[in-house]
Amino acid sequence: MDGVLTGFGIIAAIIVAGYFLERSAVAGPQAQFALNRVAFFVATPCLLFYTLAHSEIAALFSSRLPLAALSAFSAALVFIVLSRLFLRRARPRTAAEMTIGALSASLLNANNIGLPVAIYVFGDYTEVVPVLLFQLLIMNPIALSILDFSTAKKVTLGSILSQPIRNPMVIASAIGVLVAVSGVHIPDAVFEPFHIIGGAAIPMILLTFGMSLHGSKPLRGGPDTGDIWLASLIKVAVMPALAYLFGVYLLGLEGPTLTAAVMVSALPTAQNVYNFASRYNVALVMSRDTVLLTTVLSIPALSLIAVLMM
């Protein structure tokens, strides 16, 4: 389990640094807002472009792609249905809030935890690449489109048709895929700036997450408590169970391939969910606390899966 502990240790260290950065006030009162904006509009698009441009797109067509899609969309649907049926609120959730909740229950940390887990536990990072590509190419664009539409003051046909060319993450992902598929050679002098700037995306997101914890009381109750626990339990327990059932009975997976798929599904909620929530100023507490809670709960979840299946 060295890979699991390594990934969690990296995340914890940067989050703590963000907390003390905000507590010291050394970066100023607008630092969290500025870092979120830079991460969303600059660093993360650079990371997406660089990652996808260097990826084996053929991996999308392996058996892990339909499994990633089935388990993620099913987990999101379970959250939406159970949240609507059983959680009582003073007002109905908006489409944007439900989107953040669904992402909290289904979008997993495939990068800074998933990659160390894949490398140190399975010895091959390709175990997590199909899931990473699925999230970047399919799930994130869908979620961002919904967030764009549901938070816009005025929605027109023109805004709907132009949405893909207005969202920097969608644009970066599309260009990255085109480069990978076409096989066009891009000089290192052009690629390297994207690599360097993209490398700042995850630290920025983790720093702003840590900054958001200062002056707040995470997991201390409130109107979002039910959604937080529901999304967290779906993410670390229901989603891995769905991945196992789909893998065995629908796709016929077995052995190390099945084990890897189930363990990847038990990874905690991606910090990008909080970044999205911050960008659209919606469901901030829900996304923040779900990321925090799933990060804690996924350690015993991953350990249990390893004991039962490896």
Side-chain angles (χ1 to χ4, degrees):
M1 297 301 291
D2 288 346
V4 177
L5 297 178
T6 298
F8 282 104
I10 293 169
I11 286 177
I14 303 176
I15 289 175
V16 170
Y19 173 85
F20 283 105
L21 179 65
E22 180 72 9
R23 182 175 179 176
S24 67
V26 69
Q30 296 297 317
Q32 184 179 341
F33 174 80
L35 282 176
N36 262 315
R37 301 281 290 186
V38 173
F40 186 91
F41 286 102
V42 182
T44 302
C46 286
L47 176 63
L48 296 181
F49 168 72
Y50 185 85
T51 301
L52 292 172
H54 284 81
S55 296
E56 292 290 337
I57 301 301
L60 281 173
F61 302 100
S62 70
S63 59
R64 294 177 184 84
L65 173 63
L67 182 58
L70 285 170
S71 56
F73 286 137
S74 296
L77 181 61
V78 169
F79 173 84
I80 292 171
V81 171
L82 294 182
S83 178
R84 291 287 191 189
L85 290 178
F86 297 108
L87 297 182
R88 298 289 180 261
R89 307 179 183 89
R91 61 169 180 81
R93 289 289 189 193
T94 65
E97 290 170 333
M98 292 301 292
T99 299
I100 293 297
L103 287 176
S104 298
S106 59
L107 195 70
L108 55 88
N109 193 329
N111 196 352
N112 50 334
I113 291 184
L115 288 177
V117 168
I119 292 171
Y120 290 107
V121 177
F122 304 108
D124 187 0
Y125 75 92
T126 58
E127 295 290 351
V128 78
V129 167
V131 178
L132 181 61
L133 295 180
F134 160 73
Q135 293 188 162
L136 296 180
L137 295 177
I138 300 173
M139 198 161 186
N140 283 0
I142 292 174
L144 290 169
S145 297
I146 296 173
L147 289 170
D148 272 339
F149 298 151
S150 59
T151 57
K153 294 181 179 179
K154 183 179 180 181
V155 178
T156 64
L157 179 60
S159 67
I160 294 174
L161 295 177
S162 64
Q163 192 279 334
I165 63 174
R166 290 185 289 109
N167 191 296
M169 293 194 188
V170 176
I171 296 170
S173 298
I175 297 175
V177 170
L178 288 176
V179 171
V181 170
S182 65
V184 173
H185 174 70
I186 298 179
D188 290 341
V190 176
F191 254 139
E192 195 58 23
F194 290 96
H195 186 202
I196 294 173
I197 298 173
I202 292 173
M204 280 187 184
I205 293 170
L206 292 173
L207 282 172
T208 57
F209 182 80
M211 293 167 76
S212 73
L213 296 176
H214 180 259
S216 64
K217 297 181 179 180
L219 306 177
R220 295 290 182 91
D224 296 313
T225 299
D227 296 276
I228 293 165
W229 279 100
L230 176 62
S232 298
L233 293 176
I234 291 173
K235 181 66 214 61
V236 300
V238 176
M239 190 170 172
L242 290 170
Y244 178 85
L245 293 174
F246 288 137
V248 171
Y249 297 107
L250 194 60
L251 300 174
L253 301 182
E254 58 184 13
T257 301
L258 178 64
T259 301
V262 175
M263 288 194 71
V264 168
S265 296
L267 293 172
T269 301
Q271 282 85 14
N272 267 342
V273 177
Y274 177 75
N275 187 231
F276 296 165
S278 297
R279 163 65 184 88
Y280 294 95
N281 194 29
V282 61
L284 291 171
V285 173
M286 183 199 306
S287 59
R288 182 199 66 198
D289 286 8
T290 303
V291 169
L292 182 62
L293 187 57
T294 57
T295 300
V296 174
L297 294 178
S298 62
I299 297 177
L302 287 166
S303 301
L304 179 62
I305 292 171
V307 169
L308 295 177
M309 300 189 67
M310 293 184 71

